[in-house]
Amino acid sequence: MLSDKKTKEILEKNNLLETNEIADYQAKAEKANQQLDDYLIASGIITEEILYNAVAALHSLPFVNLKDKAIPSDVLFLIPEPIAATYRIIAFEKTGQELSVAMIDPDDVQTIEFIRRKVNLPIGIHIATPGAIAEAAKAYHKSLETELESINRKTGATVSAELPSADGERAPKDLEGLAQDIPVVRVVDTLLEYAIFEGASDIHVEPAEQSLAIRFRIDGILREVMNLPKTLQDGLVARIKILSNLKLDEHRLPQDGRFKIETKDYKISFRVSILPVFDGEKVVMRLLDEGKKMINLEELGLNEQVLELVKQNIAKPHGMILVTGPTGSGKTTTLYTMMHLLNTPKVNISTIEDPVEYRMPRVNQSQVNPKIEFTFSRGLRALLRQDPNIIMVGEIRDSETADIAVNAAMTGHLVLSTLHTNDAPTTLPRLVEMGVEPFLVASTVNMIMAQRLVRKLCKNCITSYNLSEEEVLRLNKDHGIDLAGLTAMFAKVEGSGSKEQDMGSILFFKGKGCNKCGNQGYKGRIGIYEVFAMTEEMKRAVSSGGTAEQIREQAKKQGMISILEDGFLKAKEGITSIEEVLRVSKE
């Protein structure tokens, strides 16, 4: 799929259509919610061959007719099937010096570079039509079916599609043989490689009655990337068990393991969880990039006012800093970023985590282990005997851990931790509910930060728009948003010279979707926050048993911007969209 801008450029430079005709067709395409190239081809205004021959001419690249090519399966499989399908690219010929590929968008430099690194050969780019690439891609399924038949001949029977029974389980030796078969190894390698390439945080392998669904969580959203034959199920799960050093013959109990993939380009740790379900075993793999460069506070997405507040509070020698939010809201990344700034040879930093997600030099990291009763509270007590300056507790889950953490903060340690609350003001009453005395909460907590992660708009397909009158009314009616308060906040944040604007006149942004972002309109994530520090007024409110609402009012008086407001600020700046802010603020 070509961008509308690229299609217009091709049509104009090759005199395929008049300028006024292009504008007319583009308006019709937008009305039909279609890309311009798709609309022109579907309407018969221009053929695929003419358009993509023009693409080839524009880029001075050869056009190839894949219908005339017999593609060897070993060449075809040099590009994994899901990547070929998503990015419309096919390997069709290989010489000793070069791999020839057919694609529709030669500007997709990221995919070309990924394939070049994978095959370790120079890439010869050819242009082909989307229809020809889709037809050529059918060869993947034919090759896989042939190899599956080969497996069945070698094992002497068709791979079972049923959950193994107590008296008829497949022997571990059979499963080990299946796990070593070339198609199974290839599928698992493709899954892992593609997940890394796409920047997925989780891989879900989900057995159904007739198939095996593969989904990736990318930028916080689950997407189905492929459906595999049910016959691959046993071999695929066995292969993952072997990689994770788990029991091959255990099908009725959950299992947890981990393994690592390390190349010159990346170092990824996979945390594996296997759960028996009705149609087999479900596998979820969490990807942790151990080679990832530590980001700084500015890159987290904190605005200037909040950034200064955070820097002031992490510089304090003792007290408690709490980061709150639901699972998957980036709390751990925020804590690690703070520790990275504090990590100097002059301090002793110790952590107790569940699990240890990223390794940090000079930081003493411990992992809880409930099987041997090594809990957060027990680990925290042990850490206090290790002469620490800074302690990071992965999560305050119970009253015992809360009590020890507060006492540690009171006796000269800087304590960083997380708590599961929906917003920042609720955190202080939650600690009181856990049995910590209000005066202790008031005297030990330095700062509280609540956060969510929103997807960032794709820079390649971002477009601006104004809210219609109907949309403005819906924001107020359906989501209870104080529009007058929002516009006043915009003016205040932007400076004294800025005037309040009507919501309908403010420019907002959205992503149309392109091949760079997998037609999602988003690429990457950033945080939205609400942060307040413990001032004298806040201490009085907490000590007197103030409710979450009273604390929220005091935080607003201190200048706290809410998560929703920070999200709308980022939507106004073109970082994210209103829809994305509303989606995550409901969590």
Side-chain angles (χ1 to χ4, degrees):
M1 180 162 47
L2 300 171
S3 69
D4 286 1
K5 185 180 176 183
K6 174 59 71 66
T7 305
K8 283 167 69 179
E9 184 186 357
I10 291 161
L11 295 170
E12 286 168 358
K13 286 197 174 180
N14 290 273
N15 297 316
L16 295 174
L17 289 171
E18 296 295 330
T19 306
N20 62 330
E21 288 181 306
I22 296 170
D24 182 42
Y25 289 132
Q26 187 170 12
K28 288 178 179 176
E30 284 176 5
K31 196 174 179 181
N33 200 25
Q34 282 183 286
Q35 290 284 119
L36 180 56
D37 61 337
D38 286 342
Y39 178 81
L40 292 172
I41 291 163
S43 305
I45 296 153
I46 196 167
T47 65
E48 274 192 335
E49 285 73 17
I50 290 171
L51 181 60
Y52 286 91
N53 263 295
V55 172
L58 180 72
H59 291 277
S60 302
L61 291 170
F63 179 85
V64 62
N65 186 350
L66 291 177
K67 291 172 186 173
D68 300 336
K69 300 284 180 185
I71 305 174
S73 60
D74 59 328
V75 173
L76 181 76
F77 276 99
L78 285 172
I79 298 178
E81 181 188 1
I83 291 172
T86 304
Y87 295 96
R88 301 196 200 182
I89 183 167
I90 290 284
F92 65 89
E93 200 170 80
K94 181 188 170 189
T95 64
Q97 292 75 38
E98 187 177 85
L99 178 69
S100 296
V101 302
M103 61 192 306
I104 64 170
D105 183 8
D107 289 333
D108 191 356
V109 179
Q110 187 184 0
T111 305
I112 296 164
E113 179 57 21
F114 169 75
I115 292 161
R116 187 193 64 73
R117 287 202 318 266
K118 180 174 166 48
V119 299
N120 200 24
L121 280 172
I123 303 297
I125 300 169
H126 297 66
I127 302 298
T129 65
I133 288 174
E135 191 62 34
K138 290 178 182 176
Y140 279 105
H141 299 285
K142 289 174 186 172
S143 297
L144 193 58
E145 283 166 14
T146 304
E147 287 175 327
L148 284 171
E149 284 173 19
S150 171
I151 288 181
N152 292 334
R153 282 198 300 274
K154 280 191 281 181
T155 56
T158 303
V159 179
S160 171
E162 295 178 8
L163 187 68
S165 61
D167 55 353
E169 290 183 346
R170 191 181 302 285
K173 200 175 234 182
D174 293 343
L175 289 168
E176 196 168 334
L178 274 177
Q180 306 299 338
D181 268 303
I182 289 170
V184 171
V185 171
R186 182 183 288 153
V187 168
V188 174
D189 286 352
T190 297
L191 275 182
L192 304 181
E193 197 169 11
Y194 185 45
I196 294 166
F197 174 67
E198 283 288 293
S201 61
D202 301 85
I203 303 170
H204 290 240
V205 181
E206 301 172 323
E209 190 177 354
Q210 302 294 334
S211 62
L212 193 64
I214 310 296
R215 295 197 288 170
F216 291 169
R217 190 176 293 280
I218 301 169
D219 293 336
I221 305 293
L222 272 173
R223 294 186 214 161
E224 190 162 305
V225 291
M226 52 179 138
N227 245 301
L228 298 174
K230 184 73 173 177
T231 46
L232 272 177
Q233 180 175 307
D234 285 357
L236 192 141
V237 174
R239 176 69 181 163
I240 293 168
K241 284 181 178 178
I242 285 173
L243 289 171
S244 314
N245 199 25
L246 298 175
K247 293 178 183 176
L248 276 177
D249 56 342
E250 179 57 78
H251 305 289
R252 288 171 290 181
L253 288 173
Q255 294 191 74
D256 295 314
R258 62 192 307 156
F259 63 92
K260 195 178 290 187
I261 294 178
E262 194 170 343
T263 72
K264 62 183 176 64
D265 297 312
Y266 50 76
K267 185 179 178 183
I268 308 290
S269 176
F270 292 81
R271 282 212 323 261
V272 180
S273 171
I274 298 180
L275 179 74
V277 293
F278 188 81
D279 289 303
E281 292 172 280
K282 175 175 175 174
V283 181
V284 176
M285 292 178 272
R286 165 67 55 90
L287 283 71
L288 300 168
D289 188 352
E290 293 187 359
K292 192 176 177 183
K293 180 177 168 283
M294 193 59 67
I295 60 175
N296 56 41
L297 286 171
E298 287 80 2
E299 290 173 297
L300 288 176
L302 300 169
N303 68 42
E304 285 182 29
Q305 177 191 338
V306 171
L307 189 62
E308 192 54 41
L309 193 63
V310 172
K311 284 180 177 177
Q312 285 171 11
N313 281 281
I314 64 173
K316 292 179 180 177
H318 55 81
M320 189 182 288
I321 292 171
L322 295 171
V323 182
T324 77
T327 303
S329 60
K331 300 187 297 294
T332 304
T333 300
T334 299
L335 288 183
Y336 272 92
T337 305
M338 290 177 181
M339 282 199 297
H340 180 63
L341 288 177
L342 297 166
N343 188 9
T344 68
K346 295 179 181 179
V347 294
N348 175 18
I349 304 178
S350 296
T351 76
I352 179 77
E353 305 172 59
D354 182 24
V356 173
E357 293 198 7
Y358 301 103
R359 298 294 312 278
M360 286 188 80
R362 283 200 306 267
V363 175
N364 310 290
Q365 295 172 270
S366 302
Q367 182 166 313
V368 301
N369 188 346
K371 289 178 184 175
I372 54 170
E373 296 181 3
F374 183 43
T375 59
F376 276 116
S377 55
R378 193 168 179 179
L380 186 49
R381 276 203 190 90
L383 289 187
L384 289 169
R385 295 193 287 272
Q386 290 275 312
D387 185 32
N389 301 99
I390 299 160
I391 297 168
M392 194 272 267
V393 184
E395 186 186 339
I396 294 176
R397 294 178 180 172
D398 52 57
S399 55
E400 190 179 5
T401 308
D403 190 51
I404 301 165
V406 165
N407 277 288
M410 195 169 53
T411 54
H413 305 90
L414 182 63
V415 179
L416 311 176
S417 191
T418 71
L419 211 65
H420 276 286
T421 59
N422 289 329
D423 56 25
T426 312
T427 307
L428 298 174
R430 176 66 58 86
L431 284 172
V432 174
E433 285 169 17
M434 284 181 163
V436 182
E437 291 293 337
F439 77 91
L440 284 177
V441 174
S443 60
T444 55
V445 174
N446 293 344
M447 185 190 78
I448 294 173
M449 172 189 287
Q451 67 180 77
R452 300 288 189 278
L453 288 177
V454 291
R455 291 180 292 168
K456 293 194 290 186
L457 288 169
C458 172
K459 291 177 182 176
N460 293 292
C461 59
I462 189 170
T463 181
S464 60
Y465 71 101
N466 292 105
L467 290 169
S468 67
E469 194 175 326
E470 186 185 332
E471 287 170 324
V472 171
L473 289 170
R474 200 182 305 129
L475 279 175
N476 182 254
K477 186 181 175 185
D478 295 352
H479 302 284
I481 293 170
D482 176 11
L483 301 176
L486 262 183
T487 51
M489 185 270 297
F490 289 159
K492 185 180 176 183
V493 169
E494 286 164 2
S496 55
S498 300
K499 293 180 181 177
E500 285 187 35
Q501 293 175 270
D502 178 73
M503 280 295 280
S505 66
I506 296 172
L507 212 56
F508 288 102
F509 302 84
K510 58 186 172 185
K512 291 180 73 175
C514 64
N515 62 359
K516 298 274 180 19
C517 59
N519 292 314
Q520 300 297 307
Y522 300 94
K523 189 80 174 171
R525 288 195 290 176
I526 197 167
I528 55 175
Y529 305 90
E530 60 184 30
V531 183
F532 69 86
M534 188 64 76
T535 60
E536 289 304 317
E537 294 82 0
M538 187 65 79
K539 284 180 183 179
R540 283 196 289 273
V542 176
S543 297
S544 61
T547 64
E549 196 52 50
Q550 289 169 329
I551 290 166
R552 183 178 289 104
E553 285 305 312
Q554 178 56 43
K556 283 182 180 178
K557 284 179 191 174
Q558 294 175 194
M560 182 188 82
I561 294 171
S562 72
I563 282 177
L564 188 70
E565 289 170 338
D566 190 35
F568 268 82
L569 266 174
K570 287 183 170 71
K572 187 173 181 287
E573 291 166 11
I575 296 168
T576 189
S577 67
I578 289 176
E579 291 79 10
E580 184 66 5
V581 172
L582 293 174
R583 180 183 71 83
V584 302
S585 60
K586 287 176 186 173
E587 290 178 359

